Amino acid sequence: MFKRIFTAFAIISLASTALAHDKATGIVKERMDGMGVLSTAMKSILAQTQSKTPDPEALKEAARAIQDHAGEAMTKRFPEGSLDYPSEAKEAIWQDWTRFQHLAQQLDLLAKGLEFAAANPLTGKRAELQDNRMLMDIGAMGPDEVFTLLGKNCVACHKEFRAKKN
Ligand code: HEC
């Protein structure tokens, strides 16, 4: 029960994070902007999954926006040691680069899955993250289930690799 409430809270606060990157420059600003796009996309997906008549096109558009800033597009914005103020990135990123890359790839995979799942009916269910989940499995889910997986992915990476808690 506690876990459920926490997860819902984490997802909502993720979607409404005030962006504190006014003073950022260079690659740090670029990746913060990319994260901002993710946040906007998550807000849009959340709104769709709370609608009685979700719009598959809006879901697909948000899924593609996430893909544009996930996977390699994300990891290439984290050159080793790029911790300039006001970055909230942790050293751990480069100590555990494989894990960091894995989470960024997983986000890409989930967003691709959401494109397939966009026209499926809502299920009212939450889904658990499983590392070996295939794209086909994700594409067969309800968009609301994929939303919970996406939210868990953001939170998982932030917990390990971002200094600020969300
Ligand atoms: C692979 C790891 C990873 C994933 C996946 C990830 N993030 Fe992040 N995110 C980070 C890191 C690291 C930072 C801190 C970057 C910095 O401050 O230099 C961050 C920062 C942010 C910020 C703050 C940006 C700012 O202006 O300070 C937001 C908002 C954000 N992420 C949203 C999301 C959302 C929404 C998702 C999921 C759809 C997500 N992130 C997925 C690693 C990740």
Side-chain angles (χ1 to χ4, degrees):
M1 188 64 180
F2 174 75
K3 204 178 156 206
R4 278 189 158 222
I5 293 169
F6 174 75
T7 307
F9 171 77
I11 292 170
I12 289 159
S13 71
L14 249 186
S16 59
T17 307
L19 301 183
H21 64 230
D22 287 352
K23 298 198 177 90
T25 55
I27 198 75
V28 170
K29 173 152 177 32
E30 255 179 60
R31 72 191 179 213
M32 284 177 167
D33 288 345
M35 294 286 172
V37 173
L38 297 182
S39 188
T40 306
M42 286 297 276
K43 269 189 232 176
S44 152
I45 298 165
L46 179 64
Q48 291 304 325
T49 60
Q50 287 175 339
S51 156
K52 286 208 169 62
T53 52
D55 172 5
E57 286 315 310
L59 285 166
K60 281 186 196 167
E61 197 183 308
R64 283 192 287 262
I66 292 177
Q67 287 166 55
D68 287 346
H69 297 277
E72 216 192 315
M74 180 186 281
T75 54
K76 75 172 190 218
R77 291 181 177 144
F78 286 88
E80 186 156 9
S82 55
L83 289 168
D84 287 351
Y85 176 85
S87 175
E88 292 164 346
K90 285 193 194 169
E91 288 275 5
I93 292 171
W94 301 287
Q95 285 152 10
D96 203 351
W97 183 247
T98 309
R99 168 90 183 136
F100 186 75
Q101 259 181 327
H102 169 78
L103 287 166
Q105 288 301 339
Q106 187 179 60
L107 179 59
D108 185 56
L109 191 76
L110 291 170
K112 286 186 172 123
L114 180 61
E115 257 195 279
F116 288 107
N120 294 345
L122 299 175
T123 65
K125 290 190 208 146
R126 294 182 163 272
E128 290 302 321
L129 267 184
Q130 282 167 25
D131 280 348
N132 60 355
R133 185 104 69 182
M134 307 292 289
L135 198 55
M136 275 163 51
D137 294 344
I138 304 165
M141 291 181 172
D144 47 345
E145 288 178 280
V146 187
F147 175 75
T148 60
L149 294 183
L150 285 163
K152 284 175 187 184
N153 168 277
C154 318
V155 173
C157 193
H158 292 171
K159 259 189 163 160
E160 283 179 55
F161 298 114
R162 184 184 175 201
K164 190 177 154 186
K165 298 277 172 282
N166 51 81

